[in-house]
Amino acid sequence: MTGNRQIAIRPAARARSDAAKRAVRQALIDAGSKLIAGEGDTPVSLRQIARHAHYSPAIVYRYFPDKAALMQAIRDDALEGLAERIAVLLDEESDARALIFAIANAGFRFASEQSASYGMNILTTARKSAGLPDGSDEPDSAKDISISGARIHALYEKAILRFFAQAGSEPVPVGMAVASFMSIITGAVALPSGSNYAALPAREAVLHETVARLLDSWESPE
């Protein structure tokens, strides 16, 4: 029971087609995402996720070997949403400086939302190493636990290389540039609202000021 409403549980018949299997898997991911966002710090069980998706608990193990695998799929699904937003920004914004600020804002909003839902910033999780295979536009699955996380990293790199091209210089290695940019976003998300010493500036203001200084340093390296 959920409140006074009885949840109808679908029979645990096997999905036959690939499309049906993808639909069941996505339903479990969507249910888990909604429950985690709603419960905050309260742990969410596989049984709860299955019931929320209107399936019996046993069906979860047909698509995920354990809870950790389902949690990773939920995080990857969220990361893929951010990757799609960044890809749109790359297509729509021609000015590289404005593009970097727009991506920083998107990353900040995403990481803030995920921190509230998961109790952690998942923007940089599941990332073992940077880079793409030679001659490939796709992340190297052998180097990354999270393909979606690797895609975001690659999109950051693409935006920063565009900035370097418009600025007419490449003042630091692109890997260092991406790491610095990501650190600014995650640092702004983690910034407390104040301390016993004094109130701190709004996190968004800190984000914008720090990104501006980083871009200035790239445009006019000493």
Side-chain angles (χ1 to χ4, degrees), residues 105-185:
N105 286 333
F108 176 84
R109 288 193 297 270
F110 173 84
S112 297
E113 292 167 359
Q114 297 305 315
S115 292
S117 296
Y118 292 95
M120 63 184 294
N121 174 12
I122 70 167
L123 184 61
T124 55
T125 60
R127 179 75 195 167
K128 281 187 174 179
S129 61
L132 302 177
D134 292 340
S136 173
D137 292 328
E138 294 298 324
D140 186 350
S141 59
K143 292 184 178 180
D144 293 280
I145 298 172
S146 169
I147 296 299
S148 299
R151 184 182 176 204
I152 290 170
H153 188 106
L155 290 168
Y156 283 170
E157 183 174 302
K158 185 175 181 180
I160 288 170
L161 286 174
R162 184 184 297 180
F163 181 87
F164 286 168
Q166 290 188 8
S169 66
E170 189 169 330
V172 295
V174 68
M176 177 61 73
V178 171
S180 299
F181 180 61
M182 294 176 72
S183 296
I184 289 172
I185 298 173

Side-chain angles (χ1 to χ4, degrees), residues 42-126:
T42 304
V44 174
S45 69
L46 291 181
R47 182 176 294 275
Q48 287 175 293
I49 292 173
R51 286 185 62 81
H52 196 78
H54 308 297
Y55 287 103
S56 64
I59 204 168
V60 176
Y61 293 100
R62 294 180 184 172
Y63 295 89
F64 303 97
D66 51 34
K67 184 176 181 179
L70 175 53
M71 292 299 105
Q72 185 64 58
I74 291 169
R75 292 174 181 178
D76 283 352
D77 192 66
L79 287 169
E80 190 61 28
L82 174 61
E84 291 298 327
R85 290 199 291 274
I86 295 173
V88 169
L89 291 172
L90 277 160
D91 288 339
E92 293 181 344
E93 182 57 71
S94 59
D95 180 78
R97 189 180 183 94
L99 172 64
I100 296 293
F101 273 101
I103 291 175
N105 286 333
F108 176 84
R109 288 193 297 270
F110 173 84
S112 297
E113 292 167 359
Q114 297 305 315
S115 292
S117 296
Y118 292 95
M120 63 184 294
N121 174 12
I122 70 167
L123 184 61
T124 55
T125 60

